[in-house]
Each structure stands twice: as structure tokens, then as C-alpha cells.
Amino acid sequence: MGFLENKKALIIGVASNRSIAWGVAKAMHAQGAELAFTYQNDRLQSRVEKLAKECGSDIVLPCDVATDENISDLFKQLGTHWSEFDILVHSVAFAPKEELEGDFVDNTTREGSKLAHDISSYSLTALAKAARPMMSGHPSAIISLTYLGAMKAMPNYNVMGLAKASLEANTRYMAYALGPDNIRVNCISAGPIRTLAAAGIGDFRKMLDHVEQNAPLRKNVSIDEVGNVAAFLCSDLASGITGEITYVDAGFNIVGMTGY
Ligand code: 0WD
């Protein structure tokens, strides 16, 4: 019997079978969770439906997290399938491609900054606000995905680093606000993984090579490794953990100097 047996999980952020959200979905399915999925737009619908089927799910609903109307419709529609649910996975981020390269000060704009913070951080609060009535009063958990660029200056990550710093603070504020409702909120800081979103970051290959050469485990992590930790953090095995940022990055974040 899996450790997510009898849990229902809503997965937001599957764009392909390389998505981190797909690694999370597979891990949660393997541990016995029942799944529902969202897709951002019509272009992704059939792909997400196909992947959902692989996890035995036929609940696949539209949601662009940029609008409150979409978010409210999502939970109305979800409510026709489930009266309550236990796990919300937020694996979504966006910043304009031209702001994910080059000089941070020269390339960051007011508009790009607003957009990055709105989609990559505020959307977590907006989703929790709408999901709260369906998640309160029984052991529930919310998980999102961040990156080391929130804590340290990185080449090219630029405005997304600021948005991820906001997401990490959001994790703590939400954990504090939702704890009394028995909803835990955690965040995984994943190492670089080649996905559609990562393709938008300048010199991404160099980041992968650098981690492989310098992380304590001398490798990059997979979506399955991130998925397994997400499954644990959203399970009752982690009932004492909330407001935490957990690194799944082959140890890269602990290194101060390499070459010894
Ligand atoms: O190296 C990486 N890939 C890392 C990713 C390292 C550490 C963290 N992360 C984070 C990302 O910042 C993001 O928060 O993991 C999360 C998932 O990213 P991913 O799995 O790397 O990327 P991807 O497979 O592209 O899924 C993200 C999806 C979008 O895909 P595209 O590529 O089409 O932008 O987020 C979705 C979208 O489907 N998304 C939205 N969904 C609903 N509403 C929206 C939106 N407005 N914007 C983007």
C-alpha cells in the first residue's frame, strides 16, 4: 500500500512528459494518490489528457493562473468531481524570454517584473485562496517549485530569481496562515532540469554541466527524484513539516568553493 493511498491531488503545471509536474504526478500515482490535472491552454489540452490517462485520471481541466476567473472556474469544475481534496501541486512559472538573459539591470522591465511575480508567486496565493474551502479541516498539503537563483545571484536567471524569492517568502506566509486549517505549505528547490521552461533560460546547458561537475553527488537530478520528495512532503509522513524550502539538487547549494 502506497503512502498517498486515499489522497486526492490536483497537479498544476504539466506541459510535457519532461515537466517536473509530470515527475511529481508519477510519484504520487505510484504511492496510491488519485489525480486531477490542469492545462494552461488549448495547445496543451490533448497532451495533458494523454498523460493523465497514464495515471488513470480523466479529470483534466483548463486553468490559466493569470486570471482569478479561470482559478474560480477550476475549483467549481473540480467540485463536480471531488467534494474535497488533499494535495495541491503548483509547478508553474513565467518570465519574458528576453529578460532571462544578459545584464539583469539593463534587461529587467516593470512589465516583465510584474508578470514574473504574478505568474510565478502570487498565483500560489490565489490558488490557495480558492482551494482553501476544499482543503481545510483534514490533513492537506501544498507544494511548489523554486530554484537556487532565489537565494544567490546567477547568470541569466535575473527577474525570475526575484520572483522565486517571493515564492519562497510566500511559502512561509502561507504556511503560517493555513497551518490552523491543517494545510501544510512547502517548497522544493530543484536543481536544473531540461524542460520547456528551462529552454527559455540563457546558457542552460552550462548550468547543467556546472552542477554535474561540482555538486557533491556529481550529477543532475531527474524529475523522478524531485517527484519522490514532493510525494513525501505532501504525505502524512511529513505531518510535522511546513513552511520549508527543501533542496533536491544533488547537494549543489551547500558548496562554497570547488576544485579540491
Ligand atoms: O531547471 C528547471 N527546469 C527548474 C524548474 C529548476 C527549479 C525549479 N523549476 C521550477 C520552474 O520555475 C517552475 O516553477 O519548476 C516549475 C516547473 O517548471 P518545469 O517543469 O521546468 O517547466 P515546464 O515543463 O515548462 O512547465 C511549466 C509550465 C508551463 O510550461 P511552458 O513551457 O508552456 O511555459 O508552467 C505552465 C505552463 O504550462 N504555466 C502556466 N500554467 C497556467 N497558467 C502559466 C499560466 N499562466 N504559465 C506557465
Side-chain angles (χ1 to χ4, degrees), residues 116-138:
H117 282 78
D118 184 27
I119 306 298
S120 316
S121 177
Y122 176 69
S123 65
L124 183 69
T125 320
L127 285 162
K129 201 191 288 265
R132 194 174 194 168
M134 293 176 79
M135 298 186 81
S136 292
H138 58 278

Side-chain angles (χ1 to χ4, degrees), residues 182 187 241 255:
N182 211 357
C187 192
I241 303 176
V255 175

Side-chain angles (χ1 to χ4, degrees), residues 201-213:
I201 300 167
D203 278 339
F204 191 73
R205 177 76 252 166
K206 271 194 193 159
M207 288 167 77
L208 289 172
D209 290 346
H210 187 77
V211 170
E212 194 174 326
Q213 284 155 23

Side-chain angles (χ1 to χ4, degrees), residues 247-260:
Y247 285 84
V248 182
D249 67 344
F252 182 76
N253 76 93
I254 59 112
V255 175
M257 189 187 287
T258 58
Y260 287 90

Side-chain angles (χ1 to χ4, degrees), residues 8-28:
K8 293 185 174 66
L10 175 63
I11 315 282
I12 300 175
V14 174
S16 77
N17 62 1
R18 292 178 161 223
S19 294
I20 294 177
W22 178 238
V24 175
K26 283 190 294 176
M28 289 187 172

Side-chain angles (χ1 to χ4, degrees), residues 12-123:
I12 300 175
V14 174
S16 77
N17 62 1
R18 292 178 161 223
S19 294
I20 294 177
W22 178 238
V24 175
K26 283 190 294 176
M28 289 187 172
H29 175 62
Q31 293 303 330
E34 194 183 327
L35 305 184
F37 292 81
T38 69
Y39 57 92
Q40 184 190 355
N41 52 41
D42 296 348
R43 193 174 50 83
L44 294 175
Q45 180 176 1
S46 63
R47 197 188 296 165
V48 177
E49 282 173 350
K50 227 166 100 195
L51 290 168
K53 249 193 202 92
E54 288 181 32
C55 292
S57 169
D58 57 5
I59 310 177
V60 182
L61 304 167
C63 184
D64 183 330
V65 299
T67 83
D68 288 335
E69 203 186 345
N70 264 232
I71 291 175
S72 143
D73 286 350
L74 166 64
F75 290 104
K76 266 188 220 140
Q77 289 188 53
L78 188 66
T80 66
H81 300 273
W82 295 343
S83 58
E84 54 180 33
F85 71 102
D86 315 281
I87 297 170
L88 175 67
V89 178
H90 174 286
S91 187
V92 167
F94 181 79
K97 188 170 172 10
E98 54 287 2
E99 298 196 22
L100 293 173
E101 60 189 10
D103 185 292
F104 166 67
V105 174
D106 287 346
N107 288 1
T108 304
T109 66
R110 192 181 298 274
E111 210 34 56
S113 182
K114 271 192 203 161
L115 199 57
H117 282 78
D118 184 27
I119 306 298
S120 316
S121 177
Y122 176 69
S123 65

